Amino acid sequence: MRYAAAAADVKCQEKHELCALAPFWHVALLTKARELDSAWQALNSLEAHGGRPTSPRMAATQHLIRGEVLFAMGQVDDGLADVNTGLCIAERCGDRSSRPAGYVVMALGALRRADMRTCLHFVDKLTGEALLGYFGQAAGAWMTAQVAEVRTGVDSVADLIAGMITNPLVLRQLLVSQPAAASWLVRAAGKLGADDLANVVVSAVCVASAEQPRFDVIRASAAHAAGLLERDASKLCEAASHHPDGWCAASAWEDLADLLATRQREREHTVRALESALGTYTAVGATRDASRVVNKLRDFGVRRGATRVVERAGELPHGLTDTEFAVAELVSQGYTNNEVGRQLFISRHTVAFHLKKVYQKMSVGSRVELAASWEAMR
């Protein structure tokens, strides 16, 4: 961060392109550190005084960095639109260096909305960059592992998870650049029954927090990870209350609620934590996560409005409800009823009920016909 700030202040007399890009890289680091006010101010200053981009690479970088800032601030639609524009420019001009970070943002945004078609599209692009030697970022491996867990279960990526955790360089890079990574790794290690790996993650993120006390995002991530491992409600509450990343704060509230739900006489606090998680997930456009929390609230007798779990434009076709649309979207991509249920947090029997309604409304009689009609409609 110090080097980036110093580089941003140097005035290049010969107008080298890399020198002109340095201030944007500083903004990117501010964004990873979730110092979002500083990142936004620096970006606006650059755009106000820098004029029009002088090359496609400059234009791509400007869109990508702006998109990442907006995405981190919770302005998800605008952020993803900017990142997508930047990626299109980077792909046209052959600039590979900035693509992986953009692909991660696009895949993460799609995953949080249960738009698996878009998510897999960008994960495939990340894989392509890896094969060509441009992967270069721990975040790409983490994104790939998250998607694989959703599709086929955590056991299918056990080796990848272990590889990320046991490589100190990869783990360190991931923990200081992706605020949600520490808690996800601890959760995944727990599902695998690998307490030793969970302990490695918590130890590493706590060391990073102690070494860099200025960064609230690392301290909150450490509290979240430690709270999960130790089942410590106070640490989870600290993470939820102070995390500068909106989605991560919501995740900490949800984990706190899950812990409180196992204790007697904690119903009121559990519901309050779930409602905090739901409000924040909704605010940052994480409709997949919001849908999961809605179902948890229902288990406590609290009903909240259904959450749209798949992105679509305009009115729903064929008179489909939100849930029917989500089921049809996933079934048309080849998912089984069990897999659809796991992604939408409903039972396979409920999936079958909604699928029958979809068939009736769309006048189709099979999954094959549905897939063909859905593709034509798109």
Side-chain angles (χ1 to χ4, degrees):
M1 291 282 285
R2 287 194 299 270
Y3 287 135
D9 286 338
V10 173
K11 304 302 178 185
C12 176
Q13 301 302 317
E14 300 181 39
K15 300 191 182 303
H16 296 127
E17 185 177 63
L18 290 179
C19 296
L21 288 170
F24 288 99
W25 295 334
H26 180 221
V27 173
L29 287 179
L30 289 169
T31 304
K32 291 184 185 303
R34 292 305 186 264
E35 296 187 358
L36 299 177
D37 288 340
S38 297
W40 187 246
Q41 291 172 10
L43 182 62
N44 284 334
S45 177
L46 282 171
E47 293 177 344
H49 298 100
R52 294 176 60 83
T54 56
S55 70
R57 185 179 186 185
M58 282 290 297
T61 300
Q62 188 167 329
H63 278 291
L64 287 164
I65 300 301
R66 182 182 183 84
E68 286 191 53
V69 176
L70 290 169
F71 183 80
M73 293 173 68
Q75 299 180 37
V76 177
D77 290 333
D78 292 339
L80 293 178
D82 255 320
V83 171
N84 193 52
T85 299
L87 286 172
C88 290
I89 297 171
E91 289 171 351
R92 285 200 302 269
C93 73
D95 176 25
R96 310 198 80 99
S97 60
S98 57
R99 290 188 211 173
Y103 293 150
V104 167
V105 173
M106 295 300 295
L108 192 58
L111 177 63
R112 290 176 179 175
R113 294 177 168 191
D115 184 356
M116 294 306 294
R117 184 192 301 267
T118 300
C119 183
L120 290 171
H121 170 73
F122 286 104
V123 168
D124 285 345
K125 285 182 175 287
L126 276 169
T127 303
E129 294 298 310
L131 293 173
L132 292 170
Y134 290 95
F135 197 83
Q137 297 191 24
W142 173 62
M143 190 68 245
T144 302
Q146 287 186 87
V147 175
E149 185 210 8
V150 170
R151 297 187 71 198
T152 54
V154 71
D155 289 336
S156 66
V157 284
D159 289 343
L160 179 56
I161 291 169
M164 288 188 288
I165 293 174
T166 56
N167 184 317
L169 182 61
V170 170
L171 181 61
R172 176 78 170 197
Q173 185 187 54
L174 188 57
L175 295 179
V176 301
S177 66
Q178 295 295 329
S183 57
W184 186 87
L185 288 170
V186 170
R187 216 177 286 113
K191 292 176 183 177
L192 293 169
D195 290 344
D196 56 332
L197 294 179
N199 274 294
V200 171
V201 175
V202 171
S203 176
V205 73
C206 287
V207 167
S209 175
E211 290 177 351
Q212 303 291 341
R214 111 171 219 198
F215 295 115
D216 292 339
V217 67
I218 302 179
R219 183 165 63 252
S221 295
H224 192 174
L228 278 171
L229 180 64
E230 300 163 11
R231 298 183 63 77
D232 187 326
S234 63
K235 289 182 178 179
L236 291 173
C237 187
E238 176 190 351
S241 301
H242 300 294
H243 214 304
D245 182 277
W247 188 91
C248 292
S251 177
W253 282 122
E254 184 181 2
D255 286 330
L256 174 61
D258 290 344
L259 176 60
L260 295 177
T262 64
R263 301 176 178 178
Q264 294 183 350
R265 297 186 295 277
E266 289 284 9
R267 181 186 182 282
E268 181 180 347
H269 291 137
T270 301
V271 169
R272 191 178 305 164
L274 285 172
E275 289 182 329
S276 295
L278 177 60
T280 308
Y281 278 143
T282 302
V284 299
T287 46
R288 176 177 181 269
D289 305 292
S291 179
R292 180 178 61 248
V293 174
V294 164
N295 287 335
K296 290 181 180 180
L297 281 167
R298 285 175 182 161
D299 290 340
F300 284 90
V302 180
R303 299 193 68 82
R304 291 290 179 265
T307 306
R308 187 160 295 142
V309 292
V310 176
E311 289 297 293
R312 84 290 186 287
E315 294 299 316
L316 291 171
H318 301 284
L320 298 176
T321 66
D322 287 340
T323 304
E324 289 165 357
F325 182 92
V327 168
E329 169 74 12
L330 293 171
V331 168
S332 71
Q333 296 177 33
Y335 289 100
T336 66
N337 286 6
N338 281 336
E339 291 168 338
V340 172
R342 187 165 67 241
Q343 292 194 34
L344 300 184
F345 311 105
I346 56 180
S347 73
R348 61 185 176 86
H349 302 294
T350 303
V351 172
F353 172 79
H354 288 300
L355 187 57
K356 182 178 179 181
K357 293 289 188 181
V358 170
Y359 285 175
Q360 292 171 350
K361 291 180 179 181
M362 294 187 64
S363 300
V364 297
S366 69
R367 302 171 91 91
V368 174
E369 289 182 20
L370 172 60
S373 296
W374 203 256
E375 187 63 30
M377 184 181 70
R378 276 184 169 273

